Amino acid sequence: DAGVIQSPRHEVTEMGQEVTLRCKPISGHDYLFWYRQTMMRGLELLIYFNNNVPIDDSGMPEDRFSAKMPNASFSTLKIQPSEPRDSAVYFCASRFGADYNEQFFGPGTRLTVL
Amino acid sequence: KQEVTQIPAALSVPEGENLVLNCSFTDSAIYNLQWFRQDPGKGLTSLLLIQSSQREQTSGRLNASLDKSSGRSTLYIAASQPGDSATYLCAVTNDYKLSFGAGTTVTVRA
């Protein structure tokens, strides 16, 4: 398996633009997680899905952020409109089954909002 | 809310010295603990996963211990090499959620 795939790897955009980050989890994994990493706050969970259903989005910072998982092999994280403080590295991770199983992380998308 | 602390924040050692990285967590009701490595500008590489019922895990020069009751884990890296220079992150799982420490940035001097 190719592991968790994220695209794009780098994104530079201007304030006010819409940004869409994409993730393909490992085949067969039924949990998908979106994390954000910043210097100030470290790694924090934004939202997670189980069987394509959003379970907890309490980490989503504002209404400008939204996430979807239309099927088991694809998820998006959208920011609209983007702001400079959204600049960060966004990681997607997936896991199979129980909470004690390992999460596998994608390479991340480095977002810069000018 | 789970709080994960890593000490020290940064560490610089000469090549060949053993590394000791510490991680503590406030809620001992964890499912597991993971140690990750992150190189500058890169993603997360999982190093070791310790289940809550285990006391330690070993992989090559790496050994991680877990004392769940006291909320502590230690990552030992034997005979450090310049290639070990990176940031090491500790993370614990409560329910569905991974909570991360801020990391320890390690520099191994040749």
Side-chain angles (χ1 to χ4, degrees):
Chain A
D1 199 318
V4 176
I5 298 172
Q6 291 186 247
S7 65
R9 295 294 306 277
H10 302 273
E11 177 81 29
V12 180
T13 190
E14 293 189 347
M15 183 174 64
Q17 296 297 307
E18 176 181 301
V19 175
T20 299
L21 310 181
R22 296 172 176 79
C23 175
K24 176 179 168 57
I26 293 173
S27 177
H29 283 194
D30 52 349
Y31 286 83
L32 185 139
F33 306 82
W34 282 100
Y35 293 87
R36 179 173 67 174
Q37 185 177 36
T38 61
M39 289 294 292
M40 291 295 294
R41 300 174 66 89
L43 265 158
E44 51 185 350
L45 179 67
L46 300 177
I47 186 172
Y48 87 99
F49 295 82
N50 177 219
N51 291 322
N52 314 337
V53 176
I55 304 300
D56 187 344
D57 64 355
S58 59
M60 296 284 262
E62 299 172 34
D63 291 345
R64 297 184 296 106
F65 285 69
S66 62
K68 294 183 179 179
M69 192 164 186
N71 57 63
S73 59
F74 184 65
S75 177
T76 59
L77 178 66
K78 185 177 293 186
I79 308 172
Q80 180 184 22
S82 58
E83 297 183 3
R85 59 194 168 121
D86 301 330
S87 297
V89 181
Y90 291 81
F91 288 101
C92 176
S94 69
R95 186 188 82 203
F96 171 72
D99 295 331
Y100 51 78
N101 288 336
E102 184 176 356
Q103 285 189 28
F104 293 84
F105 282 75
T109 294
R110 181 172 296 275
L111 173 66
T112 302
V113 183
L114 304 173
Chain B
K1 181 188 173 188
Q2 178 73 272
E3 300 286 343
V4 182
T5 303
Q6 291 188 246
I7 295 173
L11 187 60
S12 179
V13 299
E15 183 177 3
E17 194 164 299
N18 296 332
L19 289 163
V20 180
L21 309 180
N22 296 300
C23 172
S24 62
F25 46 94
T26 54
D27 183 353
S28 62
I30 64 171
Y31 284 99
N32 58 42
L33 182 144
Q34 278 184 265
W35 283 95
F36 293 88
R37 168 181 172 144
Q38 186 173 31
D39 293 287
K42 303 295 184 182
L44 301 173
T45 300
S46 181
L47 298 174
L48 292 167
L49 170 71
I50 311 175
Q51 300 293 354
S52 61
S53 58
Q54 296 176 319
R55 297 285 293 185
E56 66 176 350
Q57 278 286 345
T58 298
S59 176
R61 294 184 294 113
L62 276 59
N63 174 275
S65 66
L66 173 63
D67 184 341
K68 198 175 85 161
S69 61
S70 67
R72 295 178 184 178
S73 176
T74 302
L75 177 66
Y76 300 90
I77 303 178
S80 62
Q81 304 168 358
D84 294 328
S85 298
T87 296
Y88 292 82
L89 294 159
C90 163
V92 295
T93 302
N94 293 91
D95 298 322
Y96 58 88
K97 183 178 177 178
L98 260 181
S99 299
F100 283 85
T104 295
T105 299
V106 171
T107 302
V108 180
R109 309 186 302 272

